[in-house]
Amino acid sequence: MNDPVKEPAAAPGGRPILSLRGISKNFGAVAALTDVDLDVSPGEVVAVVGDNGAGKSTLVKVLAGVHRPDAGTLTFADREVTVASPADAHALGIATVFQDLALCENLNVIQNLFLGRELRRARLDEVTMEIRSWELLRQLSAKIPTVRVPVASLSGGQRQTVAIARTLLGDPRVIVLDEPTAALGVAQTAEVLNLIERLRERGLGVIMISHNMEDVRAVADRVVVLRLGRNNGVFAAEAPSEEIVAAMIGASDNVVSRRAGRARSVKGEA
Amino acid sequence: MADVKAAETAAPLDLLDERLRRGDGWRSVAGGLWRRVRSGDLGVLPIVLGLVVIWTVFQSLNSVFLSSANLVNLLMESASVGIIALGVVCVLLVGQIDLSVGSVSGLSAALTAVTFVSHGWPLPLSMAAALGAGALIGVVYAQMVTRLGVPSFVATLAGLLSFLGIQLWLLGDTGAINLPFESDLVHFAQLAFLPEWLSYVLVVVAAGWLFATGYGLARTRRAAGLSARSTSLLVARSAAVLLGLGFAVWYLNRARGVGWLFVSFVVLVLLLHYALTRTGWGRSVFAVGGNAEAARRAGINVRRVYTSVFVLCSTLAALGGMIAAARLAAANQATGAGDVNLNAIAAAVIGGTSLFGGRGSAFSALLGILVIQSISNGLTLLDLDSSFRFIITGLVLALAVTLDSVARRSRVAHGRAA
């Protein structure tokens, strides 16, 4: 396993594969997204962070074709596109892994991986599907002992892996991950973060929604902050957490910084 | 390191993980089966055991029960409700229900009889009309469920009443229409039996085919570097089928033999089994039953799956009704009424199809109807009236569902799909 130094397929900061400009989405009187911009380049991991209600989930749904934006443009591979349905998103090459993963627990790993795109639908080619499943899981160094068990028996990290691996079968160019580490333990989180790095090495554009700053800083190249449905700053991953958190919450004087300040002063007195 | 490498290349691609229990041959197969049963994945075991118990009890009460003549009769009687149960299996697999299969079957019987006997249509046309009506009913249900969001429970409950009404209206004042004995339909349902030689040929073909497909699959898998069943195991399986079916056919041939009707039912079971397990459609049926939202996001047209399943169920119900009328040589107000509805649903559930969707098999219709028909037949032989039949069938259903719930809990605990 002595791979040569991995060259990203395209240098981060190259031409974006996917660009959002001025995206707005209203639900009745509520403006869930207002004038949001977002870029992701091939081989780049962009984290989108924000407090509850910042519009992260709405943004994911816009990218996945679940919601149509009320205003704004999507540019994919230098072409202005409309994503009116999940099928449109698939066809373009934007794959989304939702937080609930959307796996069928009663089906096994192979069946889930190939769900909706089975080989030879009149007489399923199970053998080829099994081999391709193994190849895919090996490429991702996934730790799944057997692919012929129902997904119900897999751990959270393994399910996340299956869900991500499934999107790769469609040869996407951008993957949107909604809270990929939210429900995972320490080791499983590390596994998923490794997986995200492997996606980047494959030259995919990765948009990762999260509110775990530690995970974000571990893998992201850039951090985009949303606040109350608007862009509120773009940070390098190395930026101090306090700055990012401040942008998420909206001010440098906020609950978090006051707490931090209090903790410092307590330490100082002691 | 080198040793590990060598060991890995020797193992099939799908058994590389060191956490897997590995083993070859018979012991690992037996061990695997035992682990499955212990973890609550009972498969057909409870039904087969149940059948053995039922048959033993009835045989000890009345020695006619297991006679060739009675078993021939039992199988012929099971076909009509069994075919209806096949459709119910499909609907249950997607997590829906059709409570109107009984009325639809009765309506279909009435429609066939009215057009064929009273209006003198050619038989194929009458049958096609009845099947078409069944399919149409399925389309209507599917529209109500998928477009209007009416729960299938309510939609089909409404259908139950409406179609019963139409059936009674079609049959008119006399309330019954006799089908001529010399018609092909009645002949097929009552008198058409396989010639003895053909029945044995079919047994050999079945066993040979089972082996050929199993061997073909094993060879492809081995060529692709995957684990595969050993040839000796495949031979043993086919030999068991050959002996088992051969004995059954020999025993039935001592009386009238194997009816074309029952063979047709079994063929339908096999076709549905193939469709459910080996086609993309079947895969989407299981996916929709397991997690409809996930299926939708995977690009499956969930509405179309629901529609196909409701249409299939109503059409099979129509076919079953026609056959019930043919068995009786008459379509009357009782065709499809009474316990047909519940027997069809109970058969599917007793056979192991989950009421919650996503789990089951075409064979559950076959096994379930054998259980129900055995009880019904046995009690009739004992000259007990239908009150007992209802009570006992109800108890068996309760037992089957309870067993399934317990096994389900165990499966969850052992990390298998609920």
Side-chain angles (χ1 to χ4, degrees):
Chain A
M1 295 305 288
N2 295 328
D3 287 344
V5 181
K6 311 128 193 160
E7 277 281 310
R15 288 186 74 79
I17 173 85
L18 177 67
S19 295
L20 277 63
R21 286 290 172 269
I23 294 289
S24 300
K25 175 73 193 173
N26 303 320
F27 294 107
V30 181
L33 292 176
T34 313
D35 222 7
V36 170
D37 296 348
L38 182 71
D39 289 301
V40 60
S41 305
E44 185 187 33
V45 178
V46 177
V48 177
V49 299
D51 205 0
N52 291 339
K56 297 176 306 229
S57 303
T58 311
L59 186 64
V60 170
K61 285 177 180 156
V62 166
L63 289 169
V66 177
H67 292 326
R68 281 187 83 154
D70 298 322
T73 56
L74 261 97
T75 312
F76 188 85
D78 297 327
R79 219 156 35 86
E80 194 169 308
V81 292
T82 49
V83 183
S85 70
D88 281 2
H90 269 286
L92 280 174
I94 303 173
T96 308
V97 180
F98 287 94
Q99 197 173 351
D100 61 3
L101 300 184
L103 298 171
C104 290
E105 303 227 323
N106 57 330
L107 299 183
N108 69 26
V109 176
I110 312 169
Q111 291 165 341
N112 267 292
L113 286 177
F114 283 89
L115 192 61
R117 50 171 151 250
E118 289 86 1
L119 305 179
R120 283 220 317 254
R121 288 183 61 84
R123 186 161 166 271
L124 295 177
D125 188 353
E126 310 257 10
V127 174
T128 311
M129 287 197 277
E130 182 161 355
I131 294 170
R132 296 242 332 244
S133 302
W134 279 116
E135 283 169 5
L136 187 64
L137 294 173
R138 292 274 145 73
Q139 280 171 20
L140 299 172
S141 313
K143 293 197 182 115
I144 293 178
T146 163
V147 292
R148 297 175 75 86
V149 290
V151 164
S153 62
L154 299 185
S155 73
Q158 289 172 332
R159 288 181 202 205
Q160 186 69 248
T161 307
V162 172
I164 294 173
R166 177 165 80 183
T167 63
L168 294 181
L169 277 177
D171 266 329
R173 300 173 69 181
V174 173
I175 290 197
V176 184
L177 303 172
D178 188 6
E179 299 274 7
T181 55
L184 302 183
V186 180
Q188 294 179 359
T189 300
E191 226 172 88
V192 170
L193 293 180
N194 287 340
L195 185 56
I196 292 173
E197 282 172 351
R198 255 167 255 127
L199 297 178
R200 171 168 52 196
E201 287 157 22
R202 289 171 68 131
L204 290 163
V206 181
I207 298 174
M208 168 184 168
I209 312 290
S210 183
H211 53 221
N212 184 330
M213 288 313 296
E214 218 173 298
D215 296 348
V216 166
R217 289 161 60 86
V219 290
D221 298 308
R222 282 189 301 131
V223 182
V224 173
V225 178
L226 287 185
R227 177 173 144 70
L228 301 177
R230 291 172 183 276
N231 279 111
N232 203 22
V234 179
F235 296 83
E238 301 80 36
S241 279
E242 295 90 61
E243 268 181 43
I244 301 178
V245 170
M248 281 165 68
I249 303 181
S252 48
D253 178 36
N254 58 48
V255 188
V256 178
S257 64
R258 275 200 300 274
R259 254 188 84 82
R262 216 161 44 232
R264 264 198 295 276
S265 62
V266 169
K267 256 184 220 155
E269 282 163 21
Chain B
M1 272 314 273
D3 291 345
V4 175
K5 261 257 159 65
E8 276 187 2
T9 42
L13 179 62
D14 53 335
L15 299 179
L16 289 184
D17 196 286
E18 67 266 24
R19 286 168 291 181
L20 278 181
R21 294 182 206 214
R22 233 175 290 166
D24 294 315
W26 295 85
R27 283 188 59 164
S28 87
V29 171
L33 277 181
W34 175 237
R35 269 200 303 280
R36 266 176 63 173
V37 170
R38 287 216 356 189
S39 68
D41 195 354
L42 302 179
V44 297
L45 194 67
I47 319 160
V48 172
L49 287 181
L51 263 182
V52 169
V53 170
I54 290 168
W55 286 17
T56 316
V57 169
F58 281 127
Q59 177 66 13
S60 61
L61 293 175
N62 185 335
S63 60
V64 177
F65 182 76
L66 283 184
S67 68
S68 298
N70 190 51
L71 288 183
V72 168
N73 211 20
L74 196 158
L75 294 186
M76 295 295 276
E77 277 300 314
S78 63
S80 77
V81 182
I83 288 171
I84 300 175
L86 266 183
V88 174
V89 166
C90 296
V91 174
L92 289 180
L93 275 178
V94 295
Q96 303 286 336
I97 186 109
D98 187 343
L99 295 175
S100 71
V101 283
S103 326
V104 172
S105 77
L107 173 62
S108 149
L111 204 57
T112 312
V114 167
T115 52
F116 176 54
V117 178
S118 310
H119 291 76
W121 291 14
L123 181 62
L125 188 63
S126 296
M127 291 174 64
L131 290 178
L136 192 67
I137 290 169
V139 172
V140 172
Y141 285 154
Q143 297 303 314
M144 286 174 79
V145 170
T146 59
R147 300 214 184 248
L148 307 176
V150 181
S152 58
F153 184 88
V154 182
T156 57
L157 195 60
L160 186 157
L161 286 171
S162 315
F163 299 129
L164 181 62
I166 300 179
Q167 178 191 358
L168 299 183
W169 173 74
L170 274 178
L171 290 171
D173 294 334
T174 51
I177 296 172
N178 289 331
L179 296 172
F181 264 102
E182 57 283 1
S183 69
D184 289 340
L185 186 61
V186 175
H187 183 266
F188 169 77
Q190 294 191 353
L191 302 169
F193 287 87
L194 267 66
E196 210 163 310
W197 63 269
L198 184 58
S199 59
Y200 290 115
V201 168
L202 282 185
V203 169
V204 174
V205 167
W209 186 61
L210 186 67
F211 176 77
T213 51
Y215 185 73
L217 178 68
R219 226 177 45 177
T220 328
R221 284 183 63 88
R222 245 179 247 120
L226 296 168
S227 66
R229 285 205 176 107
S230 70
T231 309
S232 62
L233 195 70
L234 291 172
V235 169
R237 190 178 67 170
S238 295
V241 167
L242 187 69
L243 289 178
L245 278 185
F247 174 74
V249 164
W250 168 79
Y251 195 69
L252 293 173
N253 274 331
R254 291 178 38 184
R256 282 183 293 169
V258 187
W260 276 111
L261 176 60
F262 186 72
V263 173
S264 311
F265 171 43
V266 173
V267 167
L268 280 179
V269 171
L270 293 176
L271 281 178
L272 185 66
H273 179 71
Y274 177 86
L276 284 175
T277 55
R278 295 274 177 272
T279 70
W281 172 79
R283 195 56 49 84
S284 31
V285 166
F286 277 92
V288 169
N291 187 343
E293 177 59 19
R296 191 182 67 79
R297 290 201 207 144
I300 290 171
N301 187 335
V302 175
R303 193 173 281 171
R304 204 188 297 160
V305 172
Y306 278 135
T307 307
S308 68
V309 160
F310 276 112
V311 167
L312 191 57
C313 178
S314 298
T315 311
L316 285 171
L319 183 62
M322 237 178 264
I323 285 166
R327 289 284 304 158
L328 204 65
N332 60 26
Q333 293 181 339
T335 312
D339 53 354
V340 170
N341 218 353
L342 295 178
N343 274 353
I345 297 170
V349 175
I350 289 174
T353 294
S354 167
L355 278 168
F356 306 100
R359 218 169 51 76
S361 120
F363 287 108
S364 56
L366 177 61
L367 291 166
I369 197 60
L370 284 182
V371 169
I372 287 184
Q373 203 59 48
S374 298
I375 295 170
S376 162
N377 179 296
L379 292 175
T380 312
L381 284 182
L382 293 179
D383 222 4
L384 291 172
D385 63 33
S386 55
S387 56
F388 282 95
R389 200 166 40 131
F390 287 147
I391 294 170
I392 292 183
T393 311
L395 288 177
V396 170
L397 177 63
L399 189 69
V401 175
T402 312
L403 188 65
D404 184 55
S405 300
V406 174
R408 181 189 170 91
R409 235 183 288 162
S410 170
R411 280 195 301 275
V412 171
H414 286 82
R416 286 173 184 269

